[in-house]
Amino acid sequence: MKKVGMVLLGILVFVVAFTVGAISKIMPKSWQKDYEVEWSEEVGTAQTDLVYGDKPAEKFDLYLPADKGKKNYGLVGYLHAGGFTTGDKTDDKAILEWLCSMGYVTAGINYTLFSADNLDANIYTQSEEIKQAMPVVVAEAEKLGYHIDRMAIAGGSAGGTLAMLYAYRDAKDAPVPVKMMFEAVGPSSFYPEDWKSYGLDQDTEDVKVAAAGLFGTMAGQEIKPEMFGTAEYEELIKPISGYMWVDSDSVPSVVAYGKHDRVCPYDSSTHLKKALEENNVPHAYFELPHSGHALQNDDKIYQQYMDMVVEYLKKYMD
């Protein structure tokens, strides 16, 4: 019964904690227009609900530039937010259209969400679905007349975590070379001491049980409280911890985090920053000192982040 209770507690914390993280592309209204486009056939066309697997959620939308005269195209895959429990590829329609207007084939990709009906879904299984999707996305673009020879992967919040895993862990298996990654407010690590906003840093048995249940649910592994701080725990969370896969060959990255984020605790991002620096990975790390998960209170820095995304796309994808 104790084991069942721990699992149920973990599931409850998972759903409550991360459902509030359902953000996608949130930008200050005053300059949002700089990163939007009025979509029309002169800009591109969209193919929706294309299938990449047998599960109901395993679908993607493909946005194709109107200019079909290029020999090769870059692909930008963007993964939706929603705390691993909610969200949909259509939430990112605006950013996918904008990226397509820059000449890239873009793809919004769904993945099986953790829910009462899908208790086996977790960050690892979701990351495996993204890995499964990419060859299908590239093949579908090819079938429609767009030869893909390079790609970038991106996302926000939960999608940011999945983008990191694909960029740092799975890039070697990508159907075309992964040239860069950009993401905002995606958790890169899962240590209780970093998750202070959820009270998981407290040294009590009840809190340790809750943390073990939460991180075990996320990883799809049985985690026991006594494992925290051990090499065994490191191995169990490595498959879902983006920062652990960063090395000297990792792709250039642009990332942004809010210092007062209580959904994706800011301390969880510091491991990523350190890994990028220690491995000399070309990167731009933006800290928004007055913002939370929506990056809402530092307009100038948020715009710098978006400008840097454009700069990296031009440098590594064009």
Side-chain angles (χ1 to χ4, degrees):
M1 289 298 293
K2 184 176 180 181
K3 178 180 176 182
V4 173
M6 185 179 77
V7 172
L8 291 177
L9 179 59
I11 291 171
L12 177 63
V13 175
F14 184 95
V15 174
V16 172
F18 279 88
T19 298
V20 299
I23 71 160
S24 181
K25 180 180 68 70
I26 298 178
M27 288 192 249
K29 296 295 183 182
S30 62
W31 52 273
Q32 184 175 359
K33 64 181 183 299
D34 293 338
Y35 301 97
E36 292 183 344
V37 65
E38 187 173 341
W39 187 252
S40 70
E41 290 189 358
E42 294 181 356
V43 178
T45 57
Q47 300 282 329
T48 61
D49 288 330
L50 302 169
V51 175
Y52 71 85
D54 297 330
K55 296 179 181 178
E58 292 178 341
K59 296 179 181 179
F60 64 98
D61 295 342
L62 205 56
Y63 295 78
L64 306 163
D67 179 7
K68 296 190 67 173
K70 297 180 182 178
K71 181 179 179 181
N72 301 305
Y73 291 81
L75 167 71
V76 181
Y78 197 94
L79 309 177
H80 71 78
F84 312 104
T85 63
T86 64
D88 186 83
K89 52 188 169 55
T90 57
D91 299 338
D92 299 315
K93 185 173 182 288
I95 194 169
L96 288 162
E97 290 176 345
W98 169 66
L99 289 164
C100 183
S101 75
M102 297 170 64
Y104 306 112
V105 173
T106 63
I109 305 168
N110 273 357
Y111 45 89
T112 302
L113 301 170
F114 178 89
S115 69
D117 296 324
N118 292 297
L119 295 179
D120 291 332
N122 52 67
I123 298 174
Y124 179 72
T125 61
Q126 291 166 349
S127 71
E128 287 292 293
E129 286 181 300
I130 300 305
K131 183 177 176 181
Q132 172 189 343
M134 288 308 177
V136 181
V137 172
V138 170
E140 186 65 27
E142 184 83 33
K143 187 170 72 175
L144 294 169
Y146 296 81
H147 177 66
I148 305 297
D149 69 346
R150 61 203 183 280
M151 68 171 289
I153 188 74
S157 194
T161 295
L162 296 174
M164 280 185 276
L165 291 172
Y166 192 81
Y168 303 144
R169 192 193 72 194
D170 298 329
K172 64 183 184 303
D173 299 316
V176 295
V178 180
K179 296 295 187 179
M180 66 161 289
M181 186 278 299
F182 65 93
E183 65 89 17
V185 299
S188 73
S189 67
F190 301 92
Y191 298 114
E193 59 268 25
D194 292 338
W195 291 61
K196 298 179 182 66
S197 58
Y198 297 96
L200 297 184
D201 59 320
Q202 298 176 34
D203 189 20
T204 69
E205 186 60 28
D206 287 345
V207 168
K208 289 179 180 178
V209 168
L214 173 60
F215 295 141
T217 300
M218 289 177 165
Q221 300 282 351
E222 182 181 0
I223 292 175
K224 300 177 181 179
E226 59 267 25
M227 293 178 180
F228 291 129
T230 67
E232 183 181 11
Y233 182 68
E234 295 280 320
E235 285 303 308
L236 288 174
I237 62 169
K238 183 174 181 178
I240 65 168
S241 300
Y243 94 92
M244 288 187 178
W245 298 92
V246 175
D247 60 27
S248 59
D249 294 323
S250 292
V251 299
S253 304
V254 183
V255 300
Y257 289 92
K259 192 69 183 289
H260 297 281
D261 195 337
R262 298 181 62 81
V263 178
C264 166
Y266 176 77
D267 287 347
S268 72
S269 74
T270 59
H271 301 282
L272 174 62
K273 180 181 181 182
K274 183 178 179 181
L276 293 170
E277 291 173 347
E278 289 183 345
N279 287 280
N280 297 312
V281 177
H283 72 280
Y285 180 96
F286 292 89
E287 176 186 302
L288 283 70
H290 308 103
S291 296
H293 199 58
L295 303 181
Q296 72 278 31
N297 296 324
D298 296 280
D299 290 12
K300 184 176 181 180
I301 300 175
Y302 199 133
Q303 189 166 12
Q304 290 172 352
Y305 163 71
M306 291 301 297
D307 288 345
M308 188 62 70
V309 167
V310 173
E311 183 176 323
Y312 268 55
L313 284 169
K314 290 179 178 179
K315 181 174 182 178
Y316 297 105
M317 287 285 288
D318 288 353

